[in-house]
Amino acid sequence: MVSTPTVEVAQSGRQYIATEVSASASPNQFLLPLTAQVNAQDHLEIGGCDVVDLVKRFGSPLYVLDEETLRTACRQYRQAFQKYYPAESLVIYASKAWNCLAVNAIVASEGLGIDVVSGGELYTALQAGLKPEVTYFHGNNKSVEELQYAIESGCTIVADNWHELKTLVALKPATPVRIMLRITPGIECHTHEYIRTGHIDSKFGFDPDQLESVFQYVSQQPELNCVGLHAHIGSQIFEIQPHGDLGSVMVQWMSKAAQYGLPVTELDIGGGLGIRYTESDDPPSIEEWVKVVCEGVVKACEAQGVPLPRLIAEPGRSLIGSACVTAYTIGGQKTIPGIRTYVSVDGGMSDNPRPITYQSVYRAVAANRMSAPATETVTVAGKHCESGDIVIKQASLPETESGDVLVVMATGAYNYSMSSNYNRLPRPAAVLVNQGEASIILQRETYQDLIRQDSLPERLIQA
Ligand code: LLP
């Protein structure tokens, strides 16, 4: 059973430990990674590692990534497709959520492919051992160099617009380039405006009105081998129906594309399944999401009398979001009587820009006093020179003091990947934990790293 606490406020850090995990529950429904426990020292333990010890060993702040949770989510996606889709399917990891060698290698070892959106993500994916046959290159403004690199690597390019189609043709590839066409399906879903992509007023994809002329054009270009269609309607979505509807809309477009002689046999329905960030978030499980997607496509294919396409999904957040926490160390506190208490930590918007960008709400626990009752509501502030640098506006915590380890939960997706060096803070390290072992997967940046790309013209060098 997924425990859905009835109160909005934590009683103690223990509240977030999953006590019973049913087979049908999935990682995106939990605030802490699946392996989270409280150990004899009353510390939070993840992947068999004491998080307080990890901070002592690897420094603070620290991203702690639980391998088992990530692998479980990968397997649940693959198994659900095998269960509900009678033809071939492929799950590709939307690596914008967190692209680095180790994460990419883990998802590849689980039999997933990868979605990349830049030359840099493509490079990292290939270096991690991803095969070009399962690598899909997205983006609304790929540069000529990126397109050339994608062609040379042999990955599939998800063409987003006319400019891109024409650039690909002009590049005169030696063999036809494997492409898919991204469509803006006009399906609305409820999520933050910045992370909605499938509505008509979107910078991504071909407008449905243009599609027939696009099909016509592509069918006449020997340089282009259009194998399928793609759509992505948004991110952090809790409703399932929009994805069910998406399947049927897309199948209709596939039939249309086939009428133009395009060899469309693949359908990529994007990602978007949400995760739990707070007690009141109630996302569907991976299996529930996959079931609706598959049923939508199968039903539409039957209705249209067309063969089942190879079905591709590209989740990001729901694969990795719940697998990671960020451990910070508490520094100073400031109480403004009658107003609030600020508890400051040693990171903030540079390692997690989501609160300041999307007003995202997170939950935290004091990792070195997991059983202590949560008696205070405080504001967890980052250390950046910016009033808006607030990690959690209203955090329900026990009394804390400087030196305590504060763990912010569900930081696996779009935290490291959107991190910056604002205020010249070095990026934190990341450790991968599994069965009591901790391995560094991202080194902590150093001050030398911060000036690595700086260049000081001779005339500015101080005598
Ligand atoms: N496919 C495409 C084409 C996408 O644009 C995205 C996400 C995904 C797949 C994966 O979606 P997911 O399963 O992760 O929801 N930075 C924002 C999220 C931006 C999502 C962009 N596209 C955030 O922090 O909430």
Side-chain angles (χ1 to χ4, degrees):
M1 272 287 296
V2 182
S3 58
T4 312
T6 47
V7 281
E8 270 291 312
V9 173
Q11 274 100 51
S12 81
R14 273 187 184 272
Q15 179 189 330
Y16 298 110
I17 305 285
T19 42
E20 262 179 276
V21 182
S22 81
S24 61
S26 49
N28 67 318
Q29 300 180 302
F30 296 93
L31 274 155
L32 278 169
L34 299 178
T35 62
Q37 284 184 11
V38 178
N39 67 16
Q41 284 74 47
D42 200 29
H43 291 178
L44 175 63
E45 193 178 283
I46 297 176
C49 297
D50 181 316
V51 175
V52 180
D53 286 350
L54 290 175
V55 167
K56 281 197 193 115
R57 209 170 134 200
F58 298 104
S60 177
L62 185 68
Y63 296 114
V64 180
L65 177 64
D66 183 40
E67 188 167 344
E68 190 176 319
T69 304
L70 174 57
R71 288 189 184 277
T72 301
C74 293
R75 285 175 202 165
Q76 288 189 355
Y77 265 106
R78 290 201 65 205
Q79 283 162 4
F81 272 103
Q82 279 153 14
K83 183 165 167 191
Y84 296 107
Y85 197 64
E88 200 189 331
S89 60
L90 176 68
V91 180
I92 62 179
Y93 168 55
S95 69
K96 64 201 71 135
W98 182 341
N99 184 308
C100 70
L101 291 176
V103 168
N104 295 348
I106 291 172
V107 299
S109 73
E110 289 295 335
L112 273 64
I114 199 159
D115 138 8
V116 297
V117 294
S118 67
E121 284 190 357
L122 175 59
Y123 177 76
T124 315
L126 296 175
Q127 292 294 312
L130 266 298
K131 298 275 175 285
E133 303 86 83
V134 290
T135 302
Y136 290 73
F137 196 145
H138 292 279
N140 66 305
N141 194 19
K142 306 172 192 79
S143 68
V144 175
E145 293 75 21
E146 285 175 323
L147 289 171
Q148 188 70 53
Y149 179 30
I151 292 171
E152 281 160 18
S153 77
C155 70
T156 301
I157 298 174
V158 184
D160 203 273
N161 50 58
W162 280 107
H163 171 68
E164 209 163 275
L165 289 176
K166 294 191 171 161
T167 309
L168 285 170
V169 171
L171 284 171
K172 299 196 189 320
T175 50
V177 192
R178 213 174 172 278
I179 66 162
M180 295 181 89
L181 296 169
R182 177 165 181 167
I183 298 178
T184 318
I187 289 179
E188 296 285 338
C189 53
H190 298 115
T191 189
H192 192 288
E193 191 189 346
Y194 293 176
I195 53 182
R196 255 189 325 177
T197 49
H199 54 305
I200 293 296
D201 181 8
S202 165
K203 70 172 181 169
F204 296 105
F206 289 100
D207 193 278
D209 289 350
Q210 311 174 314
L211 275 178
E212 295 214 39
S213 45
V214 173
F215 293 157
Q216 169 110 43
Y217 173 81
V218 173
S219 66
Q220 290 163 354
Q221 310 307 316
E223 294 85 357
L224 304 177
N225 174 25
C226 179
V227 297
L229 303 184
H230 166 271
H232 169 78
I233 56 177
S235 196
Q236 184 58 3
I237 302 172
F238 288 179
E239 307 158 285
I240 320 196
Q241 204 41 50
H243 278 95
D245 299 343
L246 178 62
S248 56
V249 170
M250 294 299 285
V251 168
Q252 285 168 27
W253 284 115
M254 290 193 71
S255 317
K256 199 41 125 196
Q259 285 167 21
Y260 283 85
L262 296 177
V264 283
T265 52
E266 297 194 13
L267 171 57
D268 182 340
I269 39 84
L273 172 61
I275 69 166
R276 170 170 278 177
Y277 287 105
T278 70
E279 303 81 345
S280 51
D281 288 340
D282 191 15
S285 69
I286 289 171
E287 178 168 344
E288 287 171 300
W289 187 87
V290 171
K291 181 170 187 269
V292 168
V293 164
C294 294
E295 285 174 356
V297 173
V298 170
K299 224 162 107 193
C301 287
E302 276 166 13
Q304 302 268 321
V306 294
L308 290 175
R310 179 192 202 213
L311 185 55
I312 304 175
E314 47 190 32
R317 190 190 314 263
S318 52
L319 282 172
I320 200 160
S322 318
C324 179
V325 301
T326 306
Y328 300 97
T329 302
I330 292 178
Q333 309 211 1
K334 172 183 176 180
T335 299
I336 310 167
I339 301 191
R340 75 174 74 241
T341 295
Y342 286 98
V343 171
S344 293
V345 294
D346 51 355
M349 60 187 285
S350 57
D351 59 77
N352 182 2
R354 298 193 70 257
I356 199 166
T357 313
Y358 316 114
Q359 298 76 49
S360 306
V361 181
Y362 283 85
R363 292 288 187 251
V365 295
N368 55 327
R369 48 184 86 213
M370 288 295 286
S371 306
T375 48
E376 307 198 330
T377 301
V378 298
T379 295
V380 177
K383 67 173 281 161
H384 293 274
C385 286
E386 182 135 345
S387 301
D389 177 30
I390 299 298
V391 182
I392 303 175
K393 219 173 193 164
Q394 288 196 300
S396 165
L397 290 172
E399 222 173 288
T400 52
E401 53 191 48
S402 83
D404 281 350
V405 174
L406 188 89
V407 157
V408 174
M409 299 177 276
T411 57
Y414 307 109
N415 274 228
Y416 166 71
S417 64
M418 289 173 67
S419 64
S420 74
N421 289 125
Y422 184 43
N423 295 153
R424 288 241 141 167
L425 259 68
R427 283 186 182 76
V431 285
L432 182 70
V433 291
N434 191 13
Q435 300 192 357
E437 269 190 37
S439 331
I440 280 276
I441 57 169
L442 290 166
Q443 300 281 354
R444 183 173 304 281
E445 287 178 349
T446 63
Y447 290 154
Q448 293 77 42
D449 291 330
L450 294 175
I451 60 165
R452 182 146 296 140
Q453 307 294 7
D454 285 22
S455 179
L456 193 57
E458 198 112 0
R459 65 189 172 77
L460 296 182
I461 295 174
Q462 305 293 314

